[in-house]
């Protein structure tokens, strides 16, 4: 149970940040007008990711899925920034 909690805390934090960054990248002016509301969404999103780790039967699966989601989110963010959008 502690391993799933750690997965949610340690991997959910950067994933929530990356998902919000992806959201802001798609908005005009990179979301400068809605930055504060987006930052307010960070904590509920991180909390939802921490709760979602308990849907996994095994901690190893939670670590794997959240790690893969982190890799995918940060890769998409890097590709968007390299494309210059």
């Amino acid at each position: 149970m502690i391993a799933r909690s750690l997965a949610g805390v340690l991997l959910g934090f950067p994933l929530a940040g990356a998902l919000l960054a992806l959201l802001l990248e798609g908005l005009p002016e990179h979301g400068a007008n809605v930055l504060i509301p987006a930052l307010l969404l960070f904590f509920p999103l991180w909390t939802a990711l921490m709760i979602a780790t308990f849907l996994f039967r095994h901690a190893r699966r939670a670590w794997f899925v959240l790690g893969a989601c982190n890799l995918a989110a940060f890769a998409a963010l890097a590709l968007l920034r390299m494309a210059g959008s």
Side-chain angles (χ1 to χ4, degrees):
M1 179 124 116
I2 192 80
R4 281 185 284 180
S5 300
L6 282 174
V9 170
L10 297 177
L11 293 177
F13 185 86
L15 183 58
L19 291 175
L20 284 176
L22 283 170
L23 174 76
L24 291 174
E25 278 289 321
L27 295 175
E29 298 179 11
H30 301 292
N33 297 334
V34 293
L35 181 63
I36 300 301
L39 289 175
L40 290 174
L41 284 175
F42 176 80
F43 185 71
L45 180 60
W46 183 26
T47 305
L49 289 169
M50 286 189 283
I51 292 169
T53 59
F54 290 100
L55 296 175
F56 295 103
R57 187 171 288 237
H58 300 288
R60 186 178 304 144
R61 180 84 170 164
W63 280 93
F64 177 76
V65 169
L66 283 178
C69 288
N70 268 303
L71 284 174
F74 279 105
L77 190 60
L79 286 173
L80 276 176
R81 292 202 175 155
M82 281 194 302
S85 63

